[in-house]
């Protein structure tokens, strides 16, 4: 036997009333909300001329990095409109317009070492932009470059525009400036003995050439050579002293009166 009565007989009857609105699918017209990347809004179906209650109008859509700019009749958002009070005779698609909001992106600064490899030295944040702004090389460098002495901004890598969530990253690469060191032979310089020109990166060690000219002794350069390359071209001129005991051979020539040619008649050693 049951100790307690069956709940079927012990409980009151439970009931709930549902209100069902029937629509004719063939006569119904679709009110479509194309949020163009925003959150989904379900399509609503109404009969032609049916009232669209204000409480049935969906909330403004949302999209990261943008502000909702209203509903439009075309994808290009040139014909502004509102959700109608009554359903038109045909399907209606409304397009959301989005206005870019202030945003930011990250900039990483890489500087060239003397080994020609680049290393990250600084990271900055640029917040004077809006969503979808293009990140062209000229603008990125103008807005963010940190030009240290002896370096110049060479190129960038990274995202091409500002991401809606502010996650865009751009890298700026800085090359070392390159300048020349000219070593002139001074008064002894000619076509056969030209000046030497060597190009160095900023900060690179400068190696001065050894100088030798027959009959002369190299004294010094006209100024003290720099140890490393700076931010401008450099020129050094050799200073010479003529040797007093340089051996030489002196040749004698006579011009023939008929041919006009010179004929060597002899010579002598000297010092």
């Amino acid at each position: 036997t049951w100790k307690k009565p069956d709940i079927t007989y012990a409980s009151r009857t439970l009931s709930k009333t549902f209100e069902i609105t029937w629509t004719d699918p063939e006569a119904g017209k679709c009110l479509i909300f194309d949020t163009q990347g925003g959150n989904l809004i379900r399509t609503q179906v109404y009969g032609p001329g049916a009232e669209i209650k204000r409480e049935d109008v969906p909330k403004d859509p949302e999209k990261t990095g943008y502000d909702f700019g209203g509903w439009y009749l075309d994808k290009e958002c040139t014909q502004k409109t509102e959700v109608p009070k009554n359903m038109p005779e045909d399907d209606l698609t409304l397009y959301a317009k989005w206005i870019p909001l202030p945003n930011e992106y990250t900039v990483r600064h890489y500087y060239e070492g003397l080994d020609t490899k680049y290393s990250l030295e600084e990271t900055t944040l640029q917040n004077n932009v809006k969503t979808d702004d293009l990140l062209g090389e000229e603008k990125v460098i103008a807005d963010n470059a940190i030009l240290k002495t002896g370096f110049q901004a060479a190129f960038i890598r990274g995202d091409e525009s500002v991401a809606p969530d502010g996650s865009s990253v751009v890298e700026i690469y800085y090359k070392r400036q390159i300048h020349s060191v000219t070593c002139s032979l001074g008064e002894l310089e000619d076509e056969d003995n030209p000046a030497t020109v060597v190009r160095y990166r900023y900060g690179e060690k400068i190696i001065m050439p050894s100088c030798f000219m027959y009959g002369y002794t190299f004294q010094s350069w006209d100024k003290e050579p720099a140890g490393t390359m700076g931010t401008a071209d450099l020129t050094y001129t050799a200073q010479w002293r003529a040797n007093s005991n340089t051996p030489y051979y002196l040749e004698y020539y006579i011009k023939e009166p008929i041919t006009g040619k010179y004929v060597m008649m002899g010579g002598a050693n000297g010092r």
Side-chain angles (χ1 to χ4, degrees):
T1 59
W2 297 101
K3 292 183 179 181
K4 294 183 179 181
D6 189 293
I7 191 170
T8 303
Y9 302 98
S11 302
R12 297 177 59 185
T13 302
L14 302 177
S15 64
K16 187 171 184 179
T17 301
F18 295 91
E19 182 180 343
I20 301 177
T21 301
W22 296 94
T23 60
D24 182 355
E26 294 184 0
K29 301 301 178 183
C30 294
L31 178 58
I32 304 168
F33 298 92
D34 187 340
T35 61
Q36 304 207 86
N39 60 288
L40 177 66
I41 297 179
R42 294 187 178 278
T43 297
Q44 299 179 3
V45 180
Y46 297 92
E51 180 185 4
I52 301 175
K53 298 179 180 180
R54 295 302 92 182
E55 57 266 27
D56 293 336
V57 175
K59 295 180 180 179
D60 292 345
E62 297 179 350
K63 184 178 180 180
T64 300
Y66 301 86
D67 191 21
F68 178 62
W71 294 108
Y72 286 75
L73 295 173
D74 58 318
K75 290 182 69 69
E76 293 73 26
C77 297
T78 62
Q79 304 176 58
K80 189 172 177 58
T81 189
E82 295 181 356
V83 178
K85 294 181 180 180
N86 297 90
M87 189 65 199
E89 297 296 321
D90 297 305
D91 293 340
L92 176 63
T93 300
L94 301 179
Y95 298 91
K97 178 179 180 178
W98 297 107
I99 302 172
L101 289 172
N103 213 315
E104 63 185 21
Y105 65 93
T106 300
V107 184
R108 295 172 181 164
H109 304 263
Y110 290 81
Y111 293 81
E112 182 186 23
L114 290 174
D115 59 357
T116 71
K117 295 180 180 180
Y118 289 87
S119 59
L120 176 63
E121 295 191 11
E122 295 193 47
T123 299
T124 57
L125 194 65
Q126 175 58 258
N127 53 24
N128 189 28
V129 292
K130 291 183 178 181
T131 301
D132 290 338
D133 278 357
L134 296 179
L135 299 176
E137 181 170 285
E138 184 176 346
K139 179 171 176 56
V140 168
I141 291 177
D143 291 347
N144 301 280
I146 301 176
L147 296 176
K148 297 182 179 180
T149 300
F151 289 85
Q152 61 187 37
F155 59 94
I156 70 170
R157 291 176 179 169
D159 295 311
E160 296 181 352
S161 61
V162 178
D165 61 357
S167 62
S168 295
V169 177
V170 177
E171 300 171 346
I172 302 180
Y173 290 80
Y174 301 83
K175 290 181 65 70
R176 288 176 178 264
Q177 294 178 359
I178 298 178
H179 296 282
S180 62
V181 176
T182 301
C183 295
S184 170
L185 296 179
E187 60 184 8
L188 301 182
E189 186 173 305
D190 55 28
E191 292 184 0
D192 295 326
N193 299 285
T196 59
V197 180
V198 181
R199 295 175 64 79
Y200 293 91
R201 290 183 177 84
Y202 171 76
E204 195 170 6
K205 182 180 179 180
I206 296 175
I207 300 176
M208 299 298 289
S210 298
C211 295
F212 174 80
M213 291 292 285
Y214 187 74
Y216 294 85
T217 299
F218 173 75
Q219 297 287 88
S220 64
W221 298 104
D222 62 333
K223 52 181 173 287
E224 184 67 24
T228 58
M229 191 68 239
T231 58
D233 294 341
L234 298 173
T235 299
Y236 299 99
T237 303
Q239 307 296 300
W240 303 93
R241 175 177 58 82
N243 297 335
S244 60
N245 61 343
T246 303
Y248 63 88
Y249 181 77
L250 183 62
E251 296 178 344
Y252 301 95
Y253 290 82
I254 295 179
K255 183 178 182 181
E256 292 186 342
I258 297 177
T259 64
K261 295 182 179 180
Y262 287 86
V263 179
M264 187 177 71
M265 302 301 295
N269 291 317
R271 183 177 287 271

